[in-house]
Every structure is written in C-alpha cells, then in structure tokens.
Amino acid sequence: MPGQDGRTLDLRSLLAAVEVAAPVAAVDVFAAELGKHLGAEEVTFLISDFNGSAVVRLSRHPSGGGDHHRAQGSDDAETVPLAGTSYEHVVRTQRIEVRPAQEGARVVAPVTARGDVIGVLEMLLAADPDADTVDYIAAAAHALGYVVIVNRRFTDLFEWGQRSQPFSLAAEIQRRLLPTSLTCEAGQFTVAGAVEPAGNVGGDTFDYILDRDTLHVSLTDAMGHEEEAALLATLLVGSLRNSRRGGVNLAEQAARANTALLQHARPDQFVTGQLLRVDLTAGTAAMVNAGHPRPIRLRDGRVDDIELAADPPFGIVPDLGYRVQPVTLLPEDRLVFVTDGVLDRNAATADIMGLIAATGDLHPREVVQEITRAVLRAVDGKLRDDATALCLDWYGGGERDRQVDAGANRPSASPPPADS
C-alpha cells in the first residue's frame, strides 16, 4: 500500500531490509521501515515474557534502573505487567486495537504465529488509520512474528528479554526440554501448555509435535528437584523424541523410555507421564499412562476424569509392556493434562475441575495460564512442586479438513487472530 511518502512498501520489501540486517537489529530495522512508510512517530515491539503475565519493551538505551528495568550491556528491558492494560486485551483476544491519542491514534497489534503470542507491535500515528491501513499493520505484525522466530536462533537478545525473573541452572535445562512454541493452532486442533516452575525446579515437561498424519503429545514429571530432576527429565524426553523421530509406535516409545531410565538413572529415580498419539486422518487417539494423574475432559459443559488404567512410572519395572489405551475424541472436546503440582493438597482451593468448566469459552493458551495462576494464588506463590498444564482442543475432521482456517472452531471468547 502507498505510504506517507507516496511509495509502495510491500511486506517483501520489509523482509528484504530485515534480511541484510544483523539478527540483533532485525526487529529495529523492521520497525523503522514500517514507521517510515506509515509516517509513525513511534514504533515499538514488546515481547511476551515467559509466564504470559507481562510484555517487555527492549531498547538500546538503558534507562538507568527502576523496579521494572533491567540492563545488559547496551540493551535495556522494561517489563510492563499486562493486568489492566490495552496490551492485555490485545494479547488475550489477538485482535488489533486502535485508540485515540493526544495527537493522532495509538495502534496495538498482536504479534503471533499459529496462536502463540510472541508480543505486540505498538505504533503512534499522526491520524486515525483507515481500514486498509489497519489491515496492513495487522499483516505487518504477523510478518514480524516470523522475523522474531527466525532471528532468535542467532542471538540471546529475545531470550534475555523474556526473562522477567532470573533462571536457575535447573530452569535453564528444563526450558530447553519444552517445545519452541508453547501454543499451536491447526485446522483440527489447538494445543497449548504452561509451566510454572517451583522455587526449586521439579522436573515437569511437556512436548508436542505435528507430523503429516499424526499429533504427538507428552506430559512428564521427573522425581526430585533442581538439577537432578532436570537431568532425569532430559533423559526421558530425549528418549521419547529419539524414538518418535525413529518412527516407532507408541508402545515402543514408552518401552524405550522405560529402558533408558533403567539403564542410565539411579534405581530410586523414576518419571511419571502420559503419551498421547492422535491419528489426524482417522480422528482417533490412544494414550499410555505411566503412573500419572488422569487427564481431564470437558465435553458438552461437563468435566470428568478420563478413565485410564495406570501402568507403573518409567524407570521402575524392567521389560514392562505399557498398555496403549484408546481415547474417544468428539468434535469440541477439550482435554486437559496436569502434573502433581497442580493437584497438590495445598492447592486444593484452586478447584481445577471447576476452573476447567468455567473457562470453557477461553482459548487453550488462556486456560493453561488460568490454571497455573490459580495454583500460584492458592499456595500464596510458594510452590512446592512445578505446576504444569497442557490443554488440547479437538475440532474434528479428517485429512480433507486440515486445510481449513485454524480459527474456524476456536472458542468465541478468544476470536481468530489477525494472522489466521
């Protein structure tokens, strides 16, 4: 679209400018080009922090301190809590917002990729934008999401910015075991997870990956705390990923994980977990339950445990044949998986079953965050064990339906984002 200078700047030109920039400067170059094109007085990218409760404004000019500022070298990170801000509304709804400013208009657009909230793009324009300009900004914010995804592979800047709290060594290891994106929207499903680490990390992990015909999901809880638990979790998750990438079936994945722990962990160490495999062509699912709390299903407004037999945790019984149990999936089903930290007796006032029923209209990304925050409130912020939640919404459909818009069946309280 034509800009303030009369020239046309399409997204290809934006991305070309980014491509020649250094990875640490990619976002700055993108923002500068976009701002110049639209005649914006300010263009700012704020990245989401790890627990989803704040956004972080990165700049190259340290402010000199303050409760919400951190500095590293020539970089400054200002943490802005989401509660009660326009950023919160944009993040939760994933819709662009235009508000009057003292002179002109302030535009805040969600920066997302397949439902995963990367941050927000904020712009101060000299005048109210028309519909075409709003659409262009939404598309640019979507493109910016991919700019961040690509360039964060080459720099720690974005990783550092997201850390509104210091990480221990155990937390560093645990973080590497999680999927790169904590949320994924696809035509047949949406999956999202959240981990709230205890003061001494408790070894919780979750993972998911999408093949051409299959969705693989796991939730695991390694015994112990800190580095010991993190290393045990590394062994278990590494085994699962290695087996999965080798193309073996669910029973064999479980058997190999069990053997890996028996061979390389201490006799008193074990990991509980659940492995889920969804056949996207047939719309069917199967699970292995290795000594873990049952998953929870929300169906037609009713919340129940899924009846699953429990086999022993990984790392206890040699040569165990883990049972692969069918799980019925119906369109609009919601499955929620949690670890012991969520169900701790000290967190009983969180009423997880009631919370799952009450949040049925929220996006899975919001559901898992509501669960972990409820647990934190219930224990007055003093977790004795990691609190982890994973939510899977199943929309149904077979192979032919995989190409439909990922937002078509998304819960109404969290409308389709601009990048769908």
Side-chain angles (χ1 to χ4, degrees):
M1 61 171 285
Q4 294 292 310
D5 54 6
R7 67 188 179 98
T8 297
L9 179 66
D10 62 13
L11 292 181
R12 288 175 298 180
S13 301
L14 268 177
L15 295 177
V18 167
E19 185 68 19
V20 298
V24 292
V27 170
D28 293 338
V29 169
F30 187 99
E33 288 291 316
L34 182 63
K36 186 188 306 181
H37 178 63
L38 296 177
E41 296 181 27
E42 297 176 8
V43 182
T44 308
F45 168 63
L46 297 92
I47 196 167
S48 293
D49 76 344
F50 279 139
N51 65 12
S53 63
V55 288
V56 180
R57 181 181 287 110
L58 299 174
S59 73
R60 297 183 61 189
H61 306 288
S63 65
D67 292 341
H68 297 290
H69 284 266
R70 293 172 288 126
Q72 181 168 282
S74 61
D75 292 300
D76 179 73
E78 178 193 3
T79 300
V80 183
L82 283 177
T85 67
S86 59
Y87 303 138
E88 180 183 37
H89 177 73
V90 170
V91 165
R92 291 183 70 107
T93 64
Q94 296 201 7
R95 286 184 179 273
I96 195 167
E97 181 176 280
V98 181
R99 289 190 175 186
Q102 188 170 4
E103 293 182 5
R106 186 170 296 276
V107 181
V108 180
V111 178
T112 64
R114 290 199 172 274
D116 189 33
V117 178
I118 298 170
V120 297
L121 179 66
E122 184 175 30
M123 305 184 68
L124 181 60
L125 301 178
D128 286 340
D130 58 24
D132 287 343
T133 300
V134 171
D135 287 345
Y136 181 81
I137 293 172
H142 183 200
L144 178 56
Y146 290 95
V147 169
V148 175
I149 289 170
V150 169
N151 285 279
R152 70 181 306 153
R153 298 179 300 168
F154 310 112
T155 174
D156 277 339
L157 176 64
F158 305 113
E159 181 85 14
W160 169 74
Q162 288 185 282
R163 299 186 178 196
S164 52
Q165 296 180 348
F167 270 38
S168 67
L169 173 57
E172 188 75 55
I173 297 171
Q174 180 190 49
R175 184 67 187 175
R176 301 282 74 80
L177 299 177
L178 300 177
T180 304
S181 175
L182 303 188
T183 299
C184 178
E185 293 174 346
Q188 292 172 270
F189 67 88
T190 297
V191 63
V195 178
E196 191 64 49
N200 49 350
V201 169
D204 282 11
T205 65
F206 69 87
D207 199 14
Y208 72 85
I209 202 71
L210 178 64
D211 293 337
R212 196 173 294 276
D213 301 304
T214 310
L215 171 66
H216 304 267
V217 178
S218 69
L219 183 78
T220 57
D221 184 358
M223 65 151 290
H225 294 285
E226 292 295 348
E227 288 82 2
E228 181 180 82
L231 292 173
L232 186 61
T234 299
L235 179 61
L236 189 282
V237 173
S239 174
L240 291 176
R241 288 175 174 170
N242 181 255
S243 298
R244 186 188 71 214
R245 291 162 181 166
V248 304
N249 60 33
L250 200 58
E252 184 63 17
Q253 287 180 35
R256 292 186 184 185
N258 186 50
T259 299
L261 263 63
L262 287 164
Q263 290 179 344
H264 302 291
R266 294 197 317 262
D268 63 330
Q269 292 182 307
F270 62 86
V271 179
T272 69
Q274 291 168 338
L275 313 181
L276 172 68
R277 185 182 188 277
V278 181
D279 185 320
L280 299 174
T281 301
T284 58
M287 285 191 66
V288 166
N289 185 12
H292 201 81
R294 291 174 175 174
I296 303 164
R297 177 169 52 211
L298 174 63
R299 176 180 288 172
D300 297 328
R302 181 176 176 178
V303 180
D304 293 297
D305 288 335
I306 296 178
E307 295 292 333
L308 284 178
D311 287 324
F314 300 114
I316 293 182
V317 181
D319 302 320
L320 180 65
Y322 283 89
R323 288 171 286 185
V324 177
Q325 305 173 67
V327 175
T328 302
L329 288 179
L330 297 180
E332 309 307 319
D333 274 358
R334 169 169 286 176
L335 306 186
V336 178
F337 308 83
V338 298
T339 56
D340 282 345
V342 172
L343 304 176
D344 189 290
R345 65 178 182 272
N346 293 332
T349 57
D351 183 18
I352 299 305
M353 301 292 270
L355 185 60
I356 291 172
T359 56
D361 59 346
L362 295 184
H363 190 284
R365 177 189 61 252
E366 305 297 327
V367 173
V368 294
Q369 291 180 359
E370 288 289 339
I371 290 173
T372 55
R373 288 169 188 164
V375 173
L376 271 177
R377 290 193 297 269
V379 300
D380 196 26
K382 300 174 182 177
L383 286 173
R384 299 194 307 179
D385 196 4
D386 296 350
T388 300
L390 183 71
C391 180
L392 171 66
D393 277 7
W394 176 250
Y395 309 131
E399 182 174 5
R400 185 177 166 190
D401 300 309
R402 268 184 248 167
Q403 303 303 320
V404 302
D405 178 13
N409 296 302
R410 199 172 299 140
S412 59
S414 192
D419 63 337
S420 293

